[in-house]
Amino acid sequence: MRPRFDTELKECDVTPEADFINRRRLMAGAAGLLASGLIGTPLLARSRYSTTAKPNSLKDITTYNNFYEFGTGKSDPARYAGALTIKPWSIKVDGLVDKPGTYGFEDLIAGLPTEERIYRFRCVEAWSMVVPWTGFQLSDLLKKVGVQSGARFVAFETLVRPSEMPGQNRALLDWPYREGLRLDEAMHPLTMIATGLYGKPLPKQNGAPLRLVVPWKYGFKSIKSIVRISLTDRMPQTTWNMQNPREYGFYSNVNPTVDHPRWSQASERPLGGGLFSKRVPTRMFNGYEKEVAGLYKGMNLKKLF
Amino acid sequence: MDGVRFINGTLRRIPSALVYLAGVTPAAVYFYWAVMNQLGADPLQALERRLGLWALQLLILTLLVTPVRKWTRINLIKFRRAFGLLTFLYVVLHLLTWLVLDKQFFWSEILADLYKRPYIILGMTGFLLLVPLALTSNNLSIRRLGPKTWNRLHKLSYLVILLGAVHYLLVVKAWPLQPLFYLGGAILLLCVRIRWSFLKTWAGNMIESVRAT
């Protein structure tokens, strides 16, 4: 059940590239850069991976978050994340890499090509948003640290700091929050590390200073406030899978034909349209089927959900 | 006891109509805010959850009337019908929000939910059990059924509160505290209704009869 007017055509198929970035976005972007003191940085080009859907408002994206480190309420992260210290920030890179070590945030991302990517975001709770991230491809980062030949998976961990993350005072989840990807998923050009939102540094409630974004998987795969990246030869443990393996699989690809045991995943409610906004059918791989289906050729996605 | 007498005297002078009015106001205000997009990024979920939560709170209030009278002698029995009917109203509004605004008559999904999803099955069962209670919440029905039968019928509310609390617990991920508190509260309200003296005599008799053999 696809929406009636959905075609595979993208805006770039009909619009000359020069007209891509509309004036309002340019101005907003410029204002954002000015505000964040990044004057002199070249304006971000529109990525070919971006959706043409209209992004949600900055307010929606920054006040409606699942970030259980700050509490289970959707507004808890916006309320409490302000106390999080993100300078200095270091990331431990270890496992099967050529250049292991503990990197400062700036050192780790130095030299990586940054761009804006407007991605659809589908939460496992069956709501969705459209988010203009800025960041770089995870593959570029992995190339920078050098992936060794035995590596098959990438594992990530979020910061543990109960003094600044009140949700961690309770063992609601088995902290640290952990996520993982198969190496080919991690190297896929759609997989990115976001360090910004709407052209400004990433707000803390959205996972500052750096988070994963995997647009064809449920949102919880996109781990926030990363402090550790490990390359391993075995499938890493992932937090929600540990919490309830029957409900959350390692892959957790968006899949309208595999329901959450307690609710349907066949459709979703795009947020931002108010009380009467229309429910729409969920698309396989969140609409990124053409780009990523190849990764899962021959796999039974009903079993390996 | 003077304080209690004063409270009861004041309560007697409050017309039930005022309780009904006060009861429907939050729903109206919240719906208005939802329409005006004042409830954050997801006004639908805010409205849906809030209506369900209020239904649960009203049912707790309804079931508090008896223990409160027993422990404090404060008598709210005059308002119990209003509390019960308001509970039903909020359950209906909660259900309508789910059906019309959330599921938007996606019948294939709704029907699948009705037999596949425990939280929907529990919620629906709770609603269905409330229907006869709402229909018999009037003097005529009490007369027709006789107080004994009427009372026994309305004990269904004990089951409904458990269904409601578990229904709530099943829509959240992991184990947040709030739904656990509601479930604990519901269980507590049922526990205070167990006649311990009766249990003691019953257990005593059992032990006696075991000894005798």
Side-chain angles (χ1 to χ4, degrees):
Chain A
M1 278 216 303
R2 278 170 170 245
R4 214 170 349 152
F5 301 113
D6 182 57
T7 69
E8 291 304 321
L9 284 174
K10 297 214 170 87
E11 195 180 355
C12 58
D13 293 319
V14 289
T15 312
E17 192 167 282
D19 299 338
F20 268 17
I21 309 169
N22 70 42
R23 211 169 64 95
R24 198 181 304 167
R25 279 233 349 265
L26 250 174
M27 310 247 308
L33 289 172
L34 278 168
S36 59
L38 291 173
I39 309 157
T41 318
L43 271 177
L44 303 162
R46 174 148 200 160
S47 167
R48 65 193 186 94
Y49 295 107
S50 285
T51 165
T52 53
K54 187 174 173 286
N56 281 80
S57 70
L58 181 67
K59 191 176 170 219
D60 282 356
I61 298 169
T62 54
T63 56
Y64 195 81
N65 309 96
N66 278 325
F67 197 170
Y68 282 13
E69 279 79 349
F70 295 104
T72 53
K74 293 283 188 291
S75 50
D76 286 342
R79 198 172 302 151
Y80 300 117
L84 182 67
T85 310
I86 55 170
K87 277 177 189 170
W89 190 273
S90 55
I91 300 106
K92 185 175 170 188
V93 179
D94 62 355
L96 301 167
V97 287
D98 295 331
K99 293 174 224 158
T102 300
Y103 293 81
F105 170 63
E106 278 78 14
D107 298 335
L108 187 67
I109 69 167
L112 300 177
T114 302
E115 67 174 5
E116 174 169 84
R117 298 256 182 114
I118 304 172
Y119 279 167
R120 289 180 291 273
F121 183 96
R122 169 62 156 80
C123 180
V124 74
E125 295 163 351
W127 52 265
S128 61
M129 289 200 195
V130 176
V131 186
W133 304 108
T134 43
F136 46 85
Q137 289 184 192
L138 175 60
S139 60
D140 288 330
L141 186 148
L142 292 178
K143 279 173 206 153
K144 181 173 168 176
V145 297
V147 177
Q148 294 183 347
S149 59
R152 290 183 53 226
F153 293 92
V154 189
F156 304 87
E157 282 180 20
T158 296
L159 177 72
V160 179
R161 192 182 287 159
S163 60
E164 292 182 355
M165 297 175 134
Q168 288 179 337
N169 290 312
R170 235 192 104 208
L172 187 76
L173 296 172
D174 191 353
W175 316 112
Y177 194 93
R178 279 161 261 211
E179 262 309 335
L181 296 171
R182 222 168 50 190
L183 190 59
D184 57 344
E185 297 175 321
M187 297 299 284
H188 193 280
L190 277 173
T191 305
M192 71 183 291
I193 295 285
T195 53
L197 177 65
Y198 265 112
K200 295 185 197 177
L202 196 61
K204 292 174 182 176
Q205 60 266 41
N206 296 86
L210 77 165
R211 67 170 291 167
L212 184 66
V213 179
V214 195
W216 72 92
K217 293 175 181 282
Y218 293 119
F220 67 83
K221 291 292 290 183
S222 295
I223 184 171
K224 303 186 183 81
S225 303
I226 297 167
V227 293
R228 186 174 176 196
I229 301 174
S230 315
L231 276 290
T232 76
D233 56 357
R234 63 187 66 177
M235 186 180 278
Q237 284 200 300
T238 56
T239 292
W240 280 101
N241 180 252
M242 291 157 72
Q243 199 271 334
N244 195 334
R246 207 174 63 90
E247 297 185 344
Y248 310 100
F250 172 80
Y251 291 97
S252 287
N253 293 314
V254 175
N255 187 342
T257 67
V258 175
D259 286 340
H260 186 285
R262 288 182 287 146
W263 55 80
S264 166
Q265 297 291 21
S267 62
E268 68 202 46
R269 290 182 308 107
L271 301 187
L275 182 61
F276 304 105
S277 82
K278 212 164 138 24
R279 182 175 275 277
V280 300
T282 290
R283 293 198 276 163
M284 188 64 199
F285 297 115
N286 199 22
Y288 296 96
E289 185 166 13
K290 220 168 59 187
E291 289 88 344
V292 302
L295 294 171
Y296 308 101
K297 220 174 254 164
M299 276 172 63
N300 180 350
L301 294 178
K302 293 207 155 105
K303 262 179 92 179
L304 298 165
F305 56 88
Chain B
M1 277 292 125
D2 272 356
V4 171
R5 197 171 304 155
F6 174 74
I7 292 171
N8 282 338
T10 313
L11 285 174
R12 252 198 302 280
R13 261 172 281 141
I14 299 174
S16 295
L18 212 62
V19 175
Y20 284 105
L21 194 67
V24 298
T25 309
V29 170
Y30 227 70
F31 185 72
Y32 174 76
W33 281 346
V35 172
M36 292 285 129
N37 222 350
Q38 299 292 301
L39 298 177
D42 194 352
L44 169 84
Q45 206 208 33
L47 179 70
E48 194 174 45
R49 287 268 165 110
R50 187 56 61 176
L51 290 170
L53 208 58
W54 277 331
L56 207 49
Q57 288 166 359
L58 279 161
L59 189 52
I60 288 173
L61 190 63
T62 314
L63 291 181
L64 266 173
V65 170
T66 299
V68 162
R69 188 173 49 163
K70 204 165 100 186
W71 295 330
T72 68
R73 305 236 167 261
I74 291 173
N75 193 349
L76 291 162
I77 194 89
K78 179 185 168 187
F79 306 116
R80 192 167 65 177
R81 182 179 293 167
F83 295 160
L85 284 173
L86 283 168
T87 303
F88 184 66
L89 173 71
Y90 275 87
V91 168
V92 170
L93 291 175
H94 176 65
L95 176 61
L96 282 176
T97 305
W98 175 73
L99 211 58
V100 180
L101 295 174
D102 186 340
K103 289 294 169 179
Q104 299 172 10
F105 302 116
F106 263 58
W107 285 110
S108 55
E109 244 181 76
I110 292 169
L111 294 176
D113 275 3
L114 284 177
Y115 71 90
K116 263 176 149 170
R117 318 271 168 228
Y119 84 98
I120 295 290
I121 294 167
L122 295 184
M124 262 323 173
T125 311
F127 161 70
L128 290 175
L129 292 179
L130 279 179
V131 173
L133 305 196
L135 289 177
T136 57
S137 285
N138 54 72
N139 294 341
L140 184 69
S141 297
I142 298 178
R143 262 199 311 263
R144 281 217 182 134
L145 290 169
K148 238 186 180 160
T149 316
W150 188 92
N151 256 320
R152 202 174 305 151
L153 174 66
H154 280 248
K155 287 204 162 74
L156 276 177
S157 54
Y158 302 167
L159 185 56
V160 175
I161 199 167
L162 285 180
L163 291 171
V166 177
H167 166 75
Y168 181 21
L169 194 61
L170 283 179
V171 292
V172 298
K173 293 186 300 182
W175 302 99
L177 289 177
Q178 186 161 307
L180 288 171
F181 281 140
Y182 277 89
L183 183 59
I187 291 170
L188 206 67
L189 277 174
L190 299 190
C191 283
V192 300
R193 286 175 156 77
I194 297 172
R195 278 179 289 170
W196 296 107
S197 56
F198 174 80
L199 269 185
K200 234 188 260 169
T201 336
W202 179 78
N205 289 345
M206 285 295 281
I207 291 166
E208 281 303 308
S209 63
V210 168
R211 268 198 199 140
T213 51

